[in-house]
Amino acid sequence: MNSQKTIVLLLVMLPIASFAQFRKSVRAESIQLTELSGNFRIDLQAGLDRTWNDSIMSVVVTREDSKKSPLRAALFSAVIPGSGEFYTDSYWRAGVFFAAEVGLWIAYAAYTSKGNDQTDLFQNFADEHWSVVRYAQWIEQYAGQLNPDAGGCSGMVTGGGGLPPWERVDWSKLNSCEEVMGRKSGNGFTHRLPLRPEQQYYELIGKYPQYAGGWDDATTVTPSDIVQKKVSPRFLEYSEMRGKANDFYNIAGTAASVLVVNHVLSALDAAWSAAQFNNRLKLETRLKPAPRPYGFTELVPTASMTIRF
């Protein structure tokens, strides 16, 4: 009777052991039979436990619906820094990039506004204290010293006194005269005055001593002063005002440049975060034997998710 039980038990266990040798991702292992007890149910249960505990039919899969797209993450952060990191569940990095974005936009807006206000301030100062009429008259007065060969540097002021200075000057004659003066080297004449209100107009009158004669406190400025870069206090005050406006705009420009860098870095980081997220995520499923009453065993589908840090 015992020999019959042994034969039946072997017939049951051999197919199970053969299947275990051919399962995917599990190394083939030799099955060592333990000493039989003589009880069919006990020996069958022991064989099943030994075999299934070796992870027969263990399958590792990655859930496609849980994966994060690196391209999508990068696009999100390229538009709004931090959004791609939020998409990949990297919340603290999302906060860092988004906070940087907000801070940089605030800095850009604030310093651009300061630059605009300072620009209005120095332009109003120039319109009040610098006159192209006074500058043209200064050239006419010292034309012989500036360039003895100069001729025709007269008649530049044409309009009446009721007009603003920039509308009382023949600009073409003024620029022609400046060109003639510039032909003689060493007299400080290097530029041609653009029309008001061009940006270069306001820049040149406070940057080059050539235009020092147009300030209302430059009554004693001579051609030799121009060469030696001796300018009036108004000239220096105006230059400082312009420099302050430029400083504000430079800070705003730096903030704008860093904004671009923040978008690029956030996009790259988001793509990397998505890849890391996908590498950490693993879903493992298997059929696990579970003992039931009366000595029976049930194969129960189980799943476990593993996240590697």
Side-chain angles (χ1 to χ4, degrees):
M1 185 68 177
N2 287 338
S3 61
Q4 292 178 351
K5 290 181 179 180
T6 302
I7 293 173
V8 171
L9 180 60
L10 290 174
L11 291 175
V12 172
M13 294 183 63
L14 283 175
I16 297 175
S18 299
F19 181 76
Q21 292 177 349
F22 288 99
R23 65 186 177 87
K24 290 185 178 180
S25 71
V26 178
R27 295 177 303 175
E29 297 180 358
S30 61
I31 299 179
Q32 298 178 353
L33 298 178
T34 58
E35 184 178 353
L36 300 178
S37 66
N39 186 305
F40 177 76
R41 288 183 177 178
I42 294 176
D43 293 340
L44 178 61
Q45 181 67 51
L48 288 173
D49 289 344
R50 176 182 179 85
T51 303
W52 289 105
N53 284 338
D54 285 339
S55 302
I56 292 179
M57 296 184 68
S58 176
V59 181
V60 177
V61 297
T62 300
R63 290 185 55 189
E64 294 297 327
D65 58 343
S66 298
K67 293 178 67 175
K68 305 295 184 181
S69 168
L71 178 59
R72 182 178 299 175
L75 290 176
F76 284 164
S77 281
V79 177
I80 303 177
S83 59
E85 284 78 6
F86 188 86
Y87 164 71
T88 60
D89 296 345
S90 299
Y91 299 117
W92 71 268
R93 295 216 297 268
V96 170
F97 281 109
F98 186 74
E101 182 77 1
V102 172
L104 288 168
W105 272 112
I106 291 174
Y108 173 79
Y111 281 96
T112 297
S113 178
K114 288 183 177 182
N116 292 338
D117 292 342
Q118 186 67 19
T119 297
D120 291 339
L121 185 64
F122 77 69
Q123 287 183 350
N124 291 335
F125 183 89
D127 290 343
E128 181 179 355
H129 298 288
W130 193 88
S131 169
V132 66
V133 170
R134 193 179 298 115
Y135 169 64
Q137 291 172 340
W138 185 88
I139 293 177
E140 290 180 354
Q141 179 182 354
Y142 292 103
Q145 296 182 39
L146 294 169
N147 186 353
D149 299 329
C153 281
S154 60
M156 291 181 288
V157 180
T158 59
L163 297 174
W166 50 88
E167 294 183 7
R168 296 172 55 196
V169 172
D170 186 328
W171 226 270
S172 61
K173 286 186 177 181
L174 174 63
N175 291 153
S176 297
C177 189
E178 288 175 319
E179 184 177 354
V180 171
M181 297 303 170
R183 292 173 186 170
K184 180 176 174 58
S185 62
N187 63 3
F189 270 70
T190 55
H191 291 78
R192 312 293 173 264
L193 185 65
L195 291 171
R196 182 196 177 278
E198 293 182 15
Q199 182 269 337
Q200 284 290 306
Y201 169 91
Y202 287 104
E203 178 178 348
L204 296 183
I205 62 176
K207 186 175 183 179
Y208 296 100
Q210 168 185 342
Y211 300 100
W215 292 98
D216 56 10
D217 63 343
T219 55
T220 61
V221 173
T222 64
S224 61
D225 293 331
I226 299 300
V227 175
Q228 298 174 29
K229 298 182 179 180
K230 293 180 180 180
V231 295
S232 68
R234 290 260 200 251
F235 185 105
L236 296 175
E237 182 180 0
Y238 177 76
S239 296
E240 184 177 348
M241 294 171 68
R242 276 193 62 258
K244 191 173 182 180
N246 287 336
D247 290 341
F248 289 145
Y249 285 132
N250 287 337
I251 295 174
T254 300
S257 298
V258 179
L259 274 168
V260 175
V261 173
N262 190 50
H263 281 247
V264 174
L265 290 180
S266 182
L268 294 175
D269 179 75
W272 180 82
S273 296
Q276 290 297 106
F277 179 92
N278 294 337
N279 289 337
R280 291 196 306 266
L281 182 65
K282 184 177 73 173
L283 181 66
E284 187 175 287
T285 62
R286 69 174 64 197
L287 295 176
K288 184 177 180 180
R292 293 291 182 262
Y294 307 107
F296 291 101
T297 298
E298 181 181 1
L299 301 180
V300 180
T302 61
S304 63
M305 181 176 293
T306 302
I307 299 180
R308 298 194 300 271
F309 295 93

